[in-house]
Amino acid sequence: MFKSEVYIKRREQLHKLMKSGVALFIGNNESPFNYPANTYHFRQDSDFLYFFGIDLPGFAALIDFDSGTDIIFGNDFDMDDIIWMGPQPTVKELAAKSGIKTTFPMAKLEEMVQAALLKKRRVHFLPPYRGESKMLLGSILKENPCQMKTLASGELIKAVVSMRSVKEKIEIDEIEKAVEIAYDMHVTAMKMCKLGIGEQEIFGAIEGIALAKGAGTSFPVILSINGQTLHNHSHGNILKKDKMMVTDAGAETNLHYSSDITRTTPVGGKFSSMQKDVYEVVLKANTEAIKATKPGISNRDIHFIACRIIAEGMKGLGLMKGSIEDAVEAGAHALFMPHGIGHMMGLDVHDMEGLGENNVGYSDEIKRSKQFGTAFLRFALQYKPGHVFTIEPGCYFIPELVAKWSMEGKFRDFISYDKVLKFMPVGGVRIEDNVLITDKGHKVLGKAIPKTVREIETVCS
Ligand code: GLY
Ligand code: MN
Ligand code: MN
């Protein structure tokens, strides 16, 4: 946990942002894996961590905006628990670490929430994303658990998003630690990227680094020589000649802050000339997009800077033609980059997505595009100092998409399908870094992870 003052200050800020009522926060519980006593690795809810810091299952909290009190609910461990789990802190001790004096057993929560509802007070809560939390909320509020997302408080979501979006110095330090772990994961993956090695062996090695140096990975590792599949979680291939391995992997620190880095490495450590041609285009999109990143510019602007560079690069290689401005406006570039430039990152690798992607990355004025490709942009708003983003352009040769568009004759004025077919063996390239928006510009977080052709070939050799 951070010092108790951190949580006290955050809750004070929330008290100021919210007008009245109470906010109910449900911490995560253990989730059974294959039978009740065999559970998944426990991960606390990020909003619970942000406001209370208690990193254990079985807790809830109420923040009363009218009386100004904050309360922690939880049950003390009994002797049976201690026999199996060892000595445990009391609820009072844990609450004190969070700067909270008032605690009650869990059984009291429903009674207190019902008392508030009886007085016609508003009970705010955030949208739950786990079945267990939906059931618990439903039973406390006496509402249909399936309705919990629609009944969630827009006012509380807005307040929490405004706070969590701007990272404190201690949070940035944690994210940098997560990127440092990712450095070791990615350099290890590059060194292991040799002919005849199994993807699974590399996947296991880098997952092990994340566990040895922090709380594990921040999302399931994406590692494949079929990098044209954007989120490829199958690791069954043996590394083959003329393939590139896309490794999209990040770590979570012990305080649960994330990193999210992608590197693309040629099997055997040397780029072929065709691989290099495509790689250099994506690298330019990555570095130019990062260069342009500063307060006031929007993530949508940065997205289109990268899309134009990808399209210009494809034109330079003969895969696209005509006006690049018109091609990007029409959405033709999305054949090669069918995803957004990046997302916010913090306690969640896609930060606060549980609160609703559009609540984080869009506004009443700025609505999500319906165009293929741009529709996947998770955040379109302006950057502010303290925001942390991923910048992750890519270029992919997806056989099914190329076949569909080519058969439909889609964007024939902008795409030379004959030439595209020649590049299919390249598979996919993505290069992703984690960037902090500063007062005047930006800072790429963590130790620089090799990403130029020469740097990668040097590490591999
Ligand atoms: N790690 C998944 C992503 O980059 O969004
Ligand atoms: Mn990623
Ligand atoms: Mn990402």
Side-chain angles (χ1 to χ4, degrees):
M1 277 176 82
F2 294 124
K3 287 191 183 132
S4 58
E5 297 85 76
V6 170
Y7 305 102
I8 293 170
K9 213 170 127 222
R10 288 174 182 173
R11 292 192 303 269
E12 277 172 4
Q13 175 75 11
L14 189 62
H15 276 280
K16 280 191 201 133
L17 289 170
M18 296 293 291
K19 290 183 203 81
S20 63
V22 294
L24 167 57
F25 291 88
I26 302 282
N28 279 342
N29 272 302
E30 297 282 19
S31 190
F33 177 44
N34 52 343
Y35 56 92
N38 204 25
T39 56
Y40 285 104
H41 167 71
F42 174 72
R43 173 54 155 82
Q44 183 56 288
D45 172 72
S46 295
D47 293 300
F48 202 85
L49 280 175
Y50 184 80
F51 287 108
F52 308 100
I54 299 173
D55 192 8
L56 288 166
F59 285 84
L62 273 184
I63 297 185
D64 189 324
F65 301 115
D66 301 308
S67 72
T69 37
D70 302 339
I71 307 168
I72 291 285
F73 296 83
N75 296 335
D76 275 324
F77 292 94
D78 60 20
M79 189 49 72
D80 282 357
D81 297 320
I82 291 165
I83 289 167
W84 291 97
M85 301 161 64
Q88 299 294 324
T90 63
V91 172
K92 276 254 172 268
E93 285 165 348
L94 288 165
K97 286 191 179 178
S98 185
I100 293 180
K101 290 198 184 72
T102 316
T103 65
F104 287 109
M106 262 307 219
K108 189 89 178 150
L109 180 60
E110 184 176 330
E111 187 189 315
M112 290 181 74
V113 169
Q114 284 302 322
L117 288 170
L118 219 70
K119 287 188 197 148
K120 304 259 178 283
R121 299 183 67 200
R122 176 82 201 268
V123 178
H124 303 271
F125 59 90
L126 297 171
Y129 49 89
R130 283 195 184 186
E132 289 92 339
S133 307
K134 289 181 191 175
M135 296 296 286
L136 184 59
L137 262 175
S139 80
I140 292 168
L141 296 163
K142 306 212 186 304
E143 295 278 1
N144 179 349
C146 301
Q147 296 296 318
M148 288 300 112
K149 219 167 150 180
T150 42
L151 294 174
S153 162
E155 200 185 332
L156 184 60
I157 291 172
K158 219 175 190 166
V160 172
V161 168
S162 74
M163 289 180 66
R164 280 184 57 189
S165 295
V166 179
K167 270 66 182 175
E168 300 155 40
K169 166 85 170 59
I170 46 170
E171 296 185 285
I172 293 159
D173 291 347
E174 278 296 309
I175 296 171
E176 293 228 72
K177 277 188 217 163
V179 184
E180 299 285 328
I181 303 171
Y183 176 98
D184 289 344
M185 293 163 74
H186 282 276
V187 169
T188 300
M190 286 173 197
K191 288 182 177 167
M192 290 180 77
C193 186
K194 293 189 190 317
L195 208 68
I197 292 207
E199 291 169 347
Q200 190 171 349
E201 201 175 325
I202 309 174
F203 155 72
I206 67 172
E207 178 114 12
I209 293 171
L211 283 163
K213 294 181 182 252
T217 53
S218 49
F219 59 94
V221 166
I222 296 159
L223 184 151
S224 179
I225 51 171
N226 289 319
Q228 71 278 9
T229 300
L230 304 188
H231 281 180
N232 202 330
H233 294 297
S234 89
H235 312 296
N237 295 305
I238 302 294
L239 269 51
K240 289 189 206 66
K241 199 168 167 302
D242 298 327
K243 287 283 205 179
M244 285 192 287
M245 178 177 81
V246 170
T247 308
D248 182 348
E252 200 174 279
T253 63
N254 288 327
L255 293 185
H256 304 292
Y257 284 84
S258 310
S259 57
D260 181 7
I261 302 284
T262 307
R263 290 292 183 265
T264 306
T265 312
V267 173
K270 269 233 151 302
F271 288 87
S272 72
S273 110
M274 192 186 273
Q275 287 171 343
K276 199 189 294 186
D277 283 345
V278 175
Y279 189 89
E280 292 288 9
V281 171
V282 180
L283 184 63
K284 185 172 177 200
N286 167 286
T287 51
E288 292 299 316
I290 291 175
K291 245 190 245 168
T293 300
K294 60 178 184 192
I297 194 162
S298 75
N299 197 47
R300 175 138 68 190
D301 295 337
I302 297 294
H303 172 76
F304 282 114
I305 288 175
C307 292
R308 277 193 291 272
I309 292 171
I310 297 287
E312 270 157 18
M314 291 301 103
K315 184 174 172 181
L317 296 173
L319 283 66
M320 288 188 82
K321 56 192 172 184
S323 153
I324 289 309
E325 234 8 86
D326 293 350
V328 170
E329 170 139 16
H333 64 284
L335 178 68
F336 304 104
M337 184 174 143
H339 61 71
I341 188 67
H343 47 86
M344 276 194 157
M345 204 189 70
L347 274 166
D348 306 303
V349 66
H350 286 189
D351 212 23
M352 300 171 284
E353 240 170 56
L355 303 181
E357 248 178 82
N358 288 348
N359 292 325
V360 179
Y362 289 84
S363 65
D364 290 342
E365 295 76 39
I366 302 182
K367 298 282 180 211
R368 189 183 284 261
S369 158
K370 290 191 168 55
Q371 189 185 70
F372 176 78
T374 316
F376 287 123
L377 183 66
R378 303 180 119 85
F379 192 104
L381 307 178
Q382 280 190 349
Y383 295 137
K384 287 188 192 150
H387 283 174
V388 173
F389 279 90
T390 66
I391 299 284
E392 49 180 307
C395 183
Y396 313 88
F397 297 87
I398 304 168
E400 295 77 4
L401 188 62
V402 171
K404 182 170 188 284
W405 280 27
S406 140
M407 214 162 64
E408 290 169 357
K410 204 164 167 168
F411 298 127
R412 279 220 173 275
D413 293 345
F414 299 125
I415 298 169
S416 302
Y417 287 101
D418 290 351
K419 196 71 197 264
V420 173
L421 289 178
K422 294 202 168 59
F423 276 73
M424 298 308 285
V426 169
V429 175
R430 178 161 67 252
I431 309 173
E432 175 174 24
D433 289 302
N434 303 155
V435 179
L436 165 72
I437 312 301
T438 59
D439 287 338
K440 292 210 175 73
H442 66 267
K443 178 180 181 231
V444 180
L445 293 173
K447 185 159 69 170
I449 301 172
K451 71 175 173 182
T452 65
V453 164
R454 191 195 295 187
E455 284 164 356
I456 289 175
E457 289 188 345
T458 305
V459 170
C460 291
S461 68

